[in-house]
């Protein structure tokens, strides 16, 4: 994100709108700079032999009432038209920016007064203000510039004020203020530099508007006066004989429109680049993996989920990154599998890919991706949708944002069954009540009539789980289901997940950053680092003899209720590699105390150490993590 | 050195009609010189509001906050306000993205006016050394640093103001677990080397236990239990503390204790329950034993001092299981 943000202009120029707008603007700037020198003579040259001539090879746009070439005048007028527009925006900025920044430096009471003044000025119609000023100041270019500038000042002040207020409310300004940094310095050092970029962007956009307004005033005869001329003035002069020689009027009009479009187009492109964020859930077809599916030996019954060489790719402006790399695992029926990892390890993307919930533009490739024996890589047709809708349920981190606030709990619960299981309303309702009871929600009938906001965070998360149980899920995917909840509630939700698993036999995939949570509910754990599974082990082994140095460091660095407070906590130096710069060897080697030459050059494969434990490490460790010694009683 | 004394502090946010919210209700708390006091509580308990009150950012309607007998008030002079400094939760938002780390720290050094222009760079280097950042980091922008390094820089900035008391509000909750340990080590190390007085606020009991000498537990605007950290954890007197302790997930602890506070009746903070504020969820209160009407009628705050350590509960220690071997194991001199 930071790469895209640091060069918004360059990125904007790569879009079609931005590129064409930039070309037009560059042309206009060139004309403004050089047209008077190149065509100035032609534009002033009076030719009494060709007064008011029409279009000809000699005068492409004809001549005016003194026989001057209109094309030359049009080109020369670029400087005047653009210059006055820039000047007007300058006036608006000179008045508006200090006014808008003032509340940041003033005390609370005076700030409120200034804000009230800005509010009033914004509410006052700008056009009225412009005409008023133009009349008071008299007819002429200067007064027109002044009028447009003053009319634009309130909106500039409002913009500055809003931007400044958001910066003034930030933690870093609060911190500087607490340390006694004077208000004036806060404005100069913190507020103004951070609002500069959006402010300049918006002022550039305003030039387009000012150009239009200026041309309008000139057209009405309130702006530029003869013998000076701008596009508006020329439009006015040409309009009188629009039926005789239309080019004389249309050309200046076209110039105004073109310049306005160019400014707005560039602004639009810039704004888009700055605020680009992938949204929505994609139905993108999972691409077939180039490598043939290899047979995975499955003992006994068919697994709920079988994943082989799953990778997730995200195209970015800097090239495609692969935050999940060739991950393989299976989940047996009734098994709770946890994926632990830090931010950026790829744990959530793995779960989303498995649930076919990847957000655009991310996409997945896999050698095998089977859910209950159905190939999830196939097209998303009715049968697959039906399967996913009833047999897979998803619990997200924040229940507040995944429940629809405008529908009752009952509506949201019964909807699933009515659509996917074709239950009638009464049956769906009875099912909803029984499911709410299954997740230990008291007075379930009453809860059905309530809206999400009437429930506590823990209750909402229970409702989410109940919603998942409305079908007969074979797999529950839970992505950090307790991270937004308080500890006392977290424990109850985790216990509930375990109970649901025991009662219904649904398997679960639990994503979390908290290794203690995993140990609490899971049967088996996958530890992810930099997009790969580095260790796969059952929970007992996790507590007694984790093998991968990363797993061990994770356990040792988190204090728990028995950590020796006299000893410093174990730490992992450095930071994980960026997804775009994954090294050739072991991704953890740079931070690992056991790393040797081989670790940096050759990537360790995931190999079985003993039944129920696989690790991708050249130097697997054994024995309990130091801290666990007394508890494990080894 | 400096002791922070908070007495009967009440913070109330005015709201439309009856919706005013008393976020902190009559809190007493001492933060003794050179000690780390941990403040735990769940969301809505008022722990962050307490910190904001100390910084003059919350509407205090009653009570007092004193540093060595001198009041800290929101109107006090800039110099005295500086005695309390804060490290914020999110190191991505608490550093100006357009200023180098050195400029950010140097600005605070300059504001204190204790070293001249010439000595400022040396002072910034000293502060960077103190938080174990490389001196070259002073020339970098925040975006070039990792989350942990940014949080170190934020701590250095707070220390630059030479505070008497450092407030740390959830300073590790935005960080990855592998980084969290290093920041906790730093806080411990600074406290031991500089004799820093710290109010450490967190929802994570394991983290608070690790860094604190004294722990205070908040529930719905009240402090329900305060005491030396080992004592509170080995012998919790208040049932709320006990449920908090039992809720902490533990690696390798398969047996789950029995105490839970059901979340189906979490009280509205705008309208806290009468008597003991925890009685609606309490595992030993009227919910479990209908005869215990005292909890509904009488505020347990009065008898708080007469216990093993300060605890606002009529039936204190009722939740204290006689043997909690795995917890007592870690007890001992520090």
């Amino acid at each position: 994100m930071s790469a895209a943000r640091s060069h918004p202009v360059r990125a904007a120029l790569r879009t079609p709108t931005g590129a064409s707008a930039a070309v037009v603007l560059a042309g206009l700037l060139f004309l403004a700079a050089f047209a008077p020198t190149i065509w100035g003579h032609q534009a002033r040259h009076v030719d009494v032999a060709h007064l008011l001539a029409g279009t000809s090879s000699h005068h492409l746009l004809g001549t005016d009432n003194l026989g001057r070439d209109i094309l030359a005048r049009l080109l020369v007028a670029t400087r005047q038209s653009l210059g006055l527009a820039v000047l007007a925006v300058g006036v608006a900025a000179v008045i508006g920016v200090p006014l808008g920044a003032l509340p940041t430096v003033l005390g609370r009471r005076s700030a409120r007064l200034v804000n009230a003044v800005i509010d009033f000025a914004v509410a006052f119609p700008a056009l009225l203000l412009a005409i008023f000023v133009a009349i008071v100041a008299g007819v002429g270019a200067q007064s027109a510039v002044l009028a447009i500038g003053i009319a634009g000042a309130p909106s500039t002040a409002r913009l500055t004020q809003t931007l400044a207020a958001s910066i003034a409310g930030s933690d870093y300004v609060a911190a500087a203020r607490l340390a006694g940094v004077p208000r004036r310095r806060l404005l100069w050092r913190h507020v103004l530099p951070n609002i500069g970029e959006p402010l300049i962007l918006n002022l550039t956009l305003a030039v387009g508007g000012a150009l239009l307004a200026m041309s309008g005033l000139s057209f009405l005869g309130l702006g530029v006066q003869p013998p000076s001329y701008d596009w508006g003035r020329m439009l006015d002069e040409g309009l009188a004989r629009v039926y005789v020689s239309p080019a004389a009027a249309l050309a200046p009009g076209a110039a105004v429109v073109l310049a306005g479009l160019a400014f707005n187009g560039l602004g639009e492109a810039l704004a888009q680049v700055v605020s680009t964020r992938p949204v929505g859930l994609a139905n993108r077809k999972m691409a077939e993996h180039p490598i043939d599916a290899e047979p995975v030996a499955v003992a006994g019954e068919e697994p709920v989920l079988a994943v082989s060489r799953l990778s997730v790719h995200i195209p970015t402006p800097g090239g495609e990154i692969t935050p999940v790399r060739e991950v393989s695992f299976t989940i047996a029926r009734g098994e709770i599998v946890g994926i632990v990892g830090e931010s950026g390890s790829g744990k959530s993307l793995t779960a989303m890919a498995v649930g076919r919930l990847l957000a655009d533009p991310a996409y997945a490739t896999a050698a095998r991706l089977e859910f209950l024996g159905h190939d999830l890589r196939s097209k998303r047709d009715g049968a697959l949708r039906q399967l996913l809708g009833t047999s897979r349920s998803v619990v997200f981190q924040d229940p507040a944002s995944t429940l629809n606030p405008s529908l009752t709990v009952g509506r949201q619960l019964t909807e699933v069954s009515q659509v996917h299981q074709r239950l009638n309303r009464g049956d769906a309702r009875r099912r909803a009540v029984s499911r709410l009871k299954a997740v230990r929600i008291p007075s379930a009938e009453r809860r059905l009539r309530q809206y999400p906001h009437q429930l506590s965070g823990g209750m909402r998360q229970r409702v989410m789980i109940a919603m998942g149980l409305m079908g007969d899920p074979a797999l529950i995917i839970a992505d950090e289901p307790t991270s937004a909840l308080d500890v006392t509630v977290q424990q109850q939700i985790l216990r509930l997940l375990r109970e649901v698993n025991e009662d219904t036999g649904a398997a679960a995939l639990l994503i979390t950053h908290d290794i203690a949570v995993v140990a609490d509910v899971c049967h088996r754990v996958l530890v992810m680092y930099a997009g790969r599974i580095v260790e796969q082990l059952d929970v007992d082994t996790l507590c007694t003899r984790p093998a991968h140095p990363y797993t061990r460091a994770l356990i040792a660095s988190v204090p728990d209720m028995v950590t020796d407070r006299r000893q410093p906590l174990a730490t992992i130096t450095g930071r994980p590699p960026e997804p775009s710069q994954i090294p050739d060897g072991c991704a953890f080697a740079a931070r690992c105390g056991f790393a040797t030459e081989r670790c940096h050059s050759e990537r360790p494969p995931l190999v079985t150490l003993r039944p129920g434990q696989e690790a991708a490490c050249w130097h697997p460790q054994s024995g309990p993590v130091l801290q666990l010694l007394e508890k494990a009683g080894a | 050195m400096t002791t922070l004394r908070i007495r009967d502090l009440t913070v109330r946010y005015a709201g439309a009609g009856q919706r005013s919210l008393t976020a902190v209700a009559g809190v007493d708390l001492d933060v003794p010189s050179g000690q780390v006091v941990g403040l735990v509580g769940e969301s809505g308990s008022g722990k962050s509001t307490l910190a904001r009150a100390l910084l003059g950012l919350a509407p205090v309607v009653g009570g007092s906050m004193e540093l060595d007998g001198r009041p800290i008030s929101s109107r006090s002079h800039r110099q005295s306000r500086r005695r309390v400094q804060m490290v914020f939760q999110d190191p991505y938002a608490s550093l100006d993205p357009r200023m180098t780390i050195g400029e950010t720290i140097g600005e605070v050094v300059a504001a204190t006016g204790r070293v001249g222009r010439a000595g400022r760079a040396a002072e910034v280097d000293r502060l960077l050394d103190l938080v174990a950042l490389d001196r070259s980091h002073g020339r970098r922008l925040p975006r070039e640093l990792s989350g942990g390094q940014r949080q170190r820089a934020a701590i250095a900035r707070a220390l630059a103001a030479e505070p008497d008391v450092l407030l740390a509000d959830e300073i590790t909750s935005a960080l990855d677990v592998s980084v969290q340990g290093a920041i906790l080590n730093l806080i411990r190390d600074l406290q031991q080397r500089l004799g820093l007085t710290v109010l450490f606020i967190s929802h994570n009991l394991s983290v608070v236990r690790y860094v604190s000498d004294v722990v205070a537990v908040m529930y719905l605007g009240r402090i329900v239990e305060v005491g030396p950290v080992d004592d509170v954890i080995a012998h919790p007197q208040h049932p709320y503390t006990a449920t908090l302790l039992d809720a902490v997930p533990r690696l390798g602890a398969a047996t789950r204790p029995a105490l839970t506070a059901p979340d189906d009746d979490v009280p509205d903070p705008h309208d806290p329950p009468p008597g003991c504020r925890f009685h609606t969820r309490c595992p030993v209160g009227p919910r479990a034993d209908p005869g215990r009407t005292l909890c509904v009628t009488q505020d347990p705050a009065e008898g708080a001092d007469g216990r093993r350590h300060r605890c606002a509960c009529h039936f204190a220690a009722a939740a204290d299981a006689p043997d909690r071997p795995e917890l007592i194991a870690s007890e001992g001199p520090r």
Side-chain angles (χ1 to χ4, degrees), chain A residues 343-417:
Chain A
S343 49
S345 63
K347 58 185 192 302
S348 282
L349 284 172
T350 302
M352 291 301 109
V354 163
R356 293 214 46 178
L357 292 164
L358 279 178
D360 221 12
Y363 67 98
T365 56
R368 179 174 180 216
L369 188 56
E370 281 176 17
F371 177 51
L372 297 174
H374 297 263
D375 193 349
L376 281 186
R377 296 174 305 168
S378 58
K379 222 173 121 250
R380 196 183 177 87
D381 57 12
L384 184 62
R385 199 176 302 129
Q386 177 80 17
L387 177 76
L388 289 173
T390 56
S391 302
R392 171 218 60 181
S393 75
V394 185
V395 181
F396 293 101
Q397 175 173 353
D398 183 8
S401 62
T402 35
L403 287 170
N404 186 336
S406 62
L407 296 178
T408 61
V409 168
R411 259 302 285 288
Q412 300 188 51
L413 281 175
T414 52
E415 198 173 36
V416 187
S417 296

Side-chain angles (χ1 to χ4, degrees), chain A residues 179 190 342-343 488 565 567, chain B residues 42 82 176 178 188 210 212:
Chain A
H190 294 285
E342 300 181 84
S343 49
T488 53
R565 297 169 56 217
Q567 300 296 324
Chain B
E42 301 182 282
R82 197 176 290 142
D176 264 322
S178 69
R188 286 284 300 266
Y210 183 73
S212 310

Side-chain angles (χ1 to χ4, degrees), chain A residues 172 178-180 185 190 193-194 342-343 442 462 486 488 491-492 519-520 561-563 565 567 569 631, chain B residues 42-43 78 82 85 93-94 96 98 107 176 178 185 188 209-210 212 229-230 251 256 261 263-264 326:
Chain A
Y172 55 84
L178 285 175
R185 196 184 148 78
H190 294 285
N194 282 300
E342 300 181 84
S343 49
R462 282 166 201 266
D486 285 325
T488 53
Q491 182 205 20
Q492 293 164 43
D520 225 18
M561 298 309 286
V562 294
T563 308
R565 297 169 56 217
Q567 300 296 324
L569 291 168
K631 208 164 42 178
Chain B
E42 301 182 282
S43 50
R78 204 186 280 148
R82 197 176 290 142
Q85 287 295 315
S94 66
D96 189 329
R98 284 172 195 275
E107 177 182 68
D176 264 322
S178 69
N185 285 344
R188 286 284 300 266
R209 174 188 166 277
Y210 183 73
S212 310
V229 70
D230 286 329
L251 212 53
R256 303 298 314 186
D263 62 316
D264 57 330
E326 87 272 31

